[in-house]
Amino acid sequence: MSLLEQIDKDRLPKHLAVIMDGNGRWAKEKGKLRVFGHQNGVLAVRDTVEGAVQLGIKYLTLYAFSTENWNRPKLEVMALMELLVSTISKETKTLMENGVRLNAIGNLSSLPERCFRQLEEAIEKTSGNTNCTLTLALSYSSRWEITEAAKTIANKVKTGELKTDDITEELFSAHLNTGGMPDPELMIRTSGEHRISNYMLWQIAYSELYFTSKLWPDFRREDLFEAVIDFQKRERRFGMISEQLN
């Protein structure tokens, strides 16, 4: 039985979040510059997106560039931004063919103008697609996101638009960058690291975590399928006991 045949299509995670890690180490193992790893990571993104569409996963969010990544060597950051521009341009056709709507979260105003413009154009072009929403977390930090949501809500209380008693978990969630999206039910991190790295800290409160030692450029849809199979074997209790779920 193939991996795909082992997956119950009625028990898929609606939202899958991924921390793509290991590009630099993959390149270093091959005696190449780090950007070579990022370039090959694009192939992993394409296959993972197409695998998610093949399964019927409705939301896929990829941690593409963190706020902390701005502290990397300037040449690597510049190369990453150029790669992002060229990748979005080249992959828009693939997104259209697969019915994927592009979305982005994070401090997008900090992106270079050319990169931001290319991103906006791709988001607009794919806006009518309905098979899957692919969200890129760019210049993203969960603590920044939570802080910004708190500021927005505080200002609404200050102006009288909201009362403090109006503030609920649901209202707070709606003010996050991911407002309107379901919380991830499964979070995958590659490269053997076992950290969350400031990624969707509020949203993954009840997510199942899946760690693989595979470096991101080597990750393919079969690895995605294995993660989903593992997810479907788990019992998600949300603080209850097994007997309460039956």
Side-chain angles (χ1 to χ4, degrees):
M1 185 183 295
S2 69
L3 290 173
L4 186 59
E5 290 172 327
Q6 295 177 47
I7 295 174
D8 182 352
K9 295 290 186 69
D10 293 325
R11 296 176 53 236
L12 291 171
K14 292 184 182 69
H15 187 175
L16 169 66
V18 182
I19 299 176
M20 306 179 292
D21 196 18
N23 289 337
R25 274 170 284 168
W26 186 88
K28 187 176 181 180
E29 287 177 1
K30 292 171 170 47
K32 304 282 188 177
L33 295 175
R34 290 176 59 87
V35 69
F36 182 73
H38 297 306
Q39 290 168 343
N40 281 270
V42 172
L43 302 177
V45 170
R46 182 188 303 149
D47 206 47
T48 299
V49 171
E50 291 184 342
V53 172
Q54 186 178 3
L55 286 178
I57 292 173
K58 288 298 183 181
Y59 294 89
L60 173 65
T61 301
L62 305 179
Y63 204 2
F65 192 85
S66 72
T67 303
E68 292 78 13
N69 287 155
W70 290 112
N71 297 319
R72 290 186 176 186
K74 187 176 180 180
L75 284 176
E76 181 179 350
V77 172
M78 289 174 61
L80 275 169
M81 290 298 109
E82 284 299 315
L83 178 61
L84 181 61
V85 169
S86 63
T87 298
I88 290 173
S89 178
K90 292 176 183 176
E91 295 299 322
T92 299
K93 181 181 177 183
T94 303
L95 297 179
M96 295 300 295
E97 290 173 348
N98 286 278
V100 176
R101 181 173 75 92
L102 185 63
N103 182 40
I105 59 175
N107 186 10
L108 303 181
S109 62
S110 66
L111 296 174
E113 183 181 350
R114 181 164 166 256
C115 181
F116 181 71
R117 188 170 63 249
Q118 190 72 53
L119 182 64
E120 277 195 318
E121 289 176 3
I123 288 173
E124 174 61 29
K125 187 170 184 179
T126 62
S127 61
N129 295 338
T130 58
N131 285 345
C132 177
T133 296
L134 169 64
T135 300
L136 301 179
L138 293 165
S139 192
Y140 174 85
S141 153
S142 187
R143 287 184 174 183
W144 166 85
E145 176 189 33
I146 290 169
T147 301
E148 290 301 304
K151 287 179 182 177
T152 300
I153 293 171
N155 283 330
K156 287 184 177 181
V157 171
K158 185 177 180 180
T159 60
E161 186 178 343
L162 286 174
K163 298 177 182 178
T164 54
D165 288 342
D166 295 330
I167 303 172
T168 62
E169 289 186 16
E170 291 75 21
L171 182 134
F172 196 89
S173 292
H175 282 78
L176 295 173
N177 285 189
T178 53
M181 297 165 56
D183 288 340
E185 292 153 290
L186 174 62
M187 194 281 286
I188 298 172
R189 181 170 188 147
T190 61
S191 87
E193 301 292 351
H194 294 77
R195 296 189 299 273
I196 303 304
S197 296
N198 202 3
Y199 184 47
M200 301 181 82
L201 300 177
W202 175 281
Q203 297 91 332
I204 64 170
Y206 285 102
S207 299
E208 295 295 324
L209 308 182
Y210 180 88
F211 300 100
T212 173
S213 60
K214 188 159 287 191
L215 301 177
W216 179 249
D218 291 327
F219 194 89
R220 290 296 181 269
R221 73 181 70 192
E222 289 76 18
D223 301 295
L224 170 64
F225 295 165
E226 287 183 354
V228 172
I229 290 169
D230 183 83
F231 167 82
Q232 292 187 342
K233 291 178 180 176
R234 302 186 189 185
E235 183 179 69
R236 308 186 73 220
R237 295 189 294 274
F238 302 99
M240 297 184 287
I241 63 175
S242 299
E243 289 75 10
Q244 290 177 288
L245 302 176
N246 298 324

